[in-house]
Amino acid sequence: MTQYLEVHPENPQPRQIAKAIATVRGGGVIAYPTDSGYAIGCALGNKQGIELISKIRKLPPRHDYTLVCHDFAQLGQMTIVDNTNFRLIKSLTPGPYTFILKGTKEVPRIMLNPKKHTIGARIPDHRIALALLEELGEPLMSSTLIMPGREDPEQNAWEIRDEIGYLIDVIVDGPVGESGPTTVVDLTEGYPQVKREGAGDISVFQ
């Protein structure tokens, strides 16, 4: 049975956060709020979880999944970041941006783009999401929860429960930030390429 956990937006209750992360550690899949709509996530290397997320979202085989990180230390451990990209990412995080980067050996192979060996990475500006990440102690393997045929991420926990609640293990009920998905920026070619315009301002790349 799906757990539906109401969490305070400013002071996330440790007990609720611990329940959600216990499920993640046990192999479960969770939907949780971020600064740019809901995301759906699981533990690193959780093959069944990744397959379920791919099925729910109907993702293509070469989709770049995202490492949602608590801080830059986690992001830097999982991705290859040169000095130029370091300054850019530091200036824009935490915030509604996802950066496509080469993954390090710390990233389970199943999560990497099979051709480019890339992975998305982001640091959300959202107290509930950061509380979950702090409790977990490592990034969450995630994808923006955009249902097939739609352009915007889910905004409401109760709608997620009605639509896919029977498929996932935990729904964390809390407010989201900006409307729209993250802005996706590819940093693998030596200069920023905006792959998806979303909640993050793109004028900084022009």
Side-chain angles (χ1 to χ4, degrees):
M1 182 178 177
T2 303
Q3 293 186 80
Y4 190 89
L5 303 176
E6 296 183 359
V7 177
H8 193 280
E10 298 297 325
N11 298 293
Q13 305 95 311
R15 184 179 178 187
Q16 298 290 69
I17 296 297
K19 283 181 182 178
I21 293 307
T23 299
V24 171
R25 291 195 179 108
V29 171
I30 70 169
Y32 64 99
T34 77
D35 49 348
S36 60
Y38 263 82
I40 184 169
C42 66
L44 300 179
N46 180 348
K47 185 174 185 292
Q48 289 184 323
I50 292 170
E51 289 174 348
L52 177 59
I53 291 169
S54 179
K55 178 182 177 182
I56 289 171
R57 286 211 52 203
K58 295 187 177 178
L59 295 172
R62 292 179 180 173
H63 177 75
D64 281 300
Y65 291 101
T66 298
L67 296 166
V68 179
C69 304
H70 182 268
D71 50 36
F72 198 88
Q74 283 188 353
L75 187 148
Q77 182 183 11
M78 296 288 179
T79 59
I80 298 171
V81 182
D82 63 23
N83 288 337
T84 300
N85 289 338
F86 175 89
R87 289 191 292 270
L88 176 65
I89 295 170
K90 284 286 281 186
S91 71
L92 296 174
T93 56
Y97 294 90
T98 297
F99 302 98
I100 305 299
L101 296 156
K102 295 285 187 181
T104 67
K105 292 181 179 180
E106 299 294 323
V107 182
R109 183 176 294 272
I110 189 176
M111 294 177 57
L112 292 170
N113 182 302
K115 184 176 181 181
K116 298 180 179 180
H117 304 291
T118 53
I119 188 77
R122 68 172 301 229
I123 303 170
D125 186 12
H126 192 275
R127 292 194 179 187
I128 294 174
L130 290 173
L132 291 166
L133 293 163
E134 184 174 19
E135 176 71 18
L136 182 60
E138 64 181 20
L140 265 169
M141 200 306 296
S142 298
S143 182
T144 305
L145 185 48
I146 302 174
M147 297 303 293
R150 300 177 191 170
E151 296 183 357
D152 294 320
E154 296 299 310
Q155 302 287 314
N156 298 299
W158 64 268
E159 291 180 341
I160 297 169
R161 178 177 59 188
D162 290 349
E163 196 157 9
I164 61 168
Y166 66 99
L167 291 172
I168 61 179
D169 301 287
V170 170
I171 299 170
V172 178
D173 184 358
V176 298
E178 299 285 342
S179 61
T182 57
T183 291
V184 177
V185 185
D186 190 332
L187 298 177
T188 61
E189 299 298 328
Y191 60 93
Q193 298 179 71
V194 177
K195 295 296 187 180
R196 180 179 73 193
E197 185 176 351
D201 181 14
I202 66 167
S203 65
V204 295
F205 309 113
Q206 298 171 346

